[in-house]
Amino acid sequence: CMQRDASQTFGKAMYVSMGEGATQQTIARRLDQMAKGRKSENNTNQAANSILNRIITRFTQNQDDFEHLVFHDLPDFLENDCSVGLLVLDSIASMFRINETKDEAFAIYRSGLLFQISAQLKKLSEIHHIPIVVINQVTADFSAKEDSSFRPALGLSWESCVNQSYLLTRQGKTKSTFTGRCHTPSNFQRSILCRISSRFPTIEAGYSICDKGVSIL
């Protein structure tokens, strides 16, 4: 939403940080850094402020807060504000992880709740015509044959709820790079894998993170 042409009408984006997500101060500092990094393209401070004014931030501390947000707050908010064009839910796994004290009954309950949340998010996306990005951690899949296999931290129940999957990886060290848009001193090689469907091949591309945000290599 931050890469449209300046002549186009900009919508708003909502970013929801959950549980183990970044603090309010960290999010505000990073958004300000990205906006100021991009303001040189329009050569005005007003452009940077315009970007920040279009980003709505929300924070949920626990599972109850998140459920209330999904089933009550979001429907009401989107019904009254049609300018939101993107919704990002960060660190959903932190809301529903199963620790050693949880029993099988809780795992069954969690699976059912994840299906309800997925259905609600898909409904909101279709009604209000907005893409919803849900950020989930991954864990090593020790049952897989490949050494580098991963699976969603929320298990197969959540994996079956996802329409499109984007896996971000970071490995190895590399020299600083210049992408034509920004210079990044990153010491890591980053890549993104896009899995649209089992019927389509996986698409992979490299990317870098810099002051302006993300740049595909």
Side-chain angles (χ1 to χ4, degrees):
C1 65
M2 301 174 72
Q3 299 204 18
R4 295 182 183 177
D5 184 79
S7 63
Q8 291 180 286
T9 301
F10 288 92
K12 297 177 182 177
M14 175 179 283
Y15 175 87
V16 181
S17 178
M18 298 179 286
E20 299 174 359
T23 63
Q24 298 184 35
Q25 294 79 7
T26 300
I27 293 172
R29 183 167 58 251
R30 179 54 176 150
L31 291 176
D32 182 69
Q33 181 187 42
M34 292 170 63
K36 289 180 178 178
R38 289 169 177 266
K39 77 174 185 179
S40 59
E41 297 177 359
N42 298 305
N43 201 26
T44 172
N45 287 326
Q46 185 177 1
N49 292 331
S50 177
I51 292 174
L52 295 175
N53 289 335
R54 293 193 302 274
I55 301 175
I56 305 166
T57 56
R58 289 285 302 269
F59 302 88
T60 58
Q61 299 300 321
N62 52 53
Q63 180 179 324
D64 290 338
D65 287 348
F66 178 60
E67 289 183 48
H68 194 275
L69 173 73
V70 171
F71 293 106
H72 300 284
D73 292 347
L74 276 179
D76 293 341
F77 181 83
L78 296 175
E79 185 69 28
N80 296 305
D81 190 340
C82 60
S83 63
V84 175
L86 175 66
L87 173 61
V88 178
L89 305 176
D90 192 1
S91 298
I92 189 173
S94 63
M95 297 280 100
F96 300 98
R97 282 202 182 97
I98 299 178
N99 57 43
E100 295 180 355
T101 64
K102 303 294 185 180
D103 55 18
E104 183 178 354
F106 177 81
I108 296 174
Y109 162 77
R110 187 191 72 164
S111 296
L113 180 58
L114 289 176
F115 284 129
Q116 294 178 35
I117 291 173
S118 172
Q120 173 71 353
L121 293 177
K122 289 180 180 179
K123 178 181 177 181
L124 293 175
S125 177
E126 292 175 359
I127 292 176
H128 301 286
H129 307 289
I130 60 173
I132 299 178
V133 179
V134 182
I135 300 175
N136 177 28
Q137 288 81 29
V138 297
T139 184
D141 187 357
F142 296 103
S143 64
K145 295 181 179 180
E146 296 87 356
D147 294 335
S148 58
S149 294
F150 301 95
R151 61 181 177 85
L154 292 181
L156 297 178
S157 296
W158 178 255
E159 185 176 26
S160 64
C161 297
V162 177
N163 287 345
Q164 297 181 13
S165 174
Y166 300 88
L167 177 63
L168 305 180
T169 61
R170 186 187 72 175
Q171 59 184 351
K173 291 188 176 182
T174 183
K175 297 180 179 179
S176 298
T177 58
F178 181 76
T179 65
R181 292 181 52 203
C182 57
H183 182 273
T184 172
S186 174
N187 292 322
F188 300 95
Q189 182 176 353
R190 306 174 190 267
S191 63
I192 178 171
L193 287 82
C194 175
R195 296 169 180 167
I196 301 177
S197 164
S198 59
R199 303 187 319 179
F200 294 92
T202 299
I203 302 173
E204 182 175 4
Y207 73 96
S208 63
I209 299 176
C210 57
D211 289 346
K212 296 180 181 180
V214 176
S215 178
I216 299 296
L217 302 177

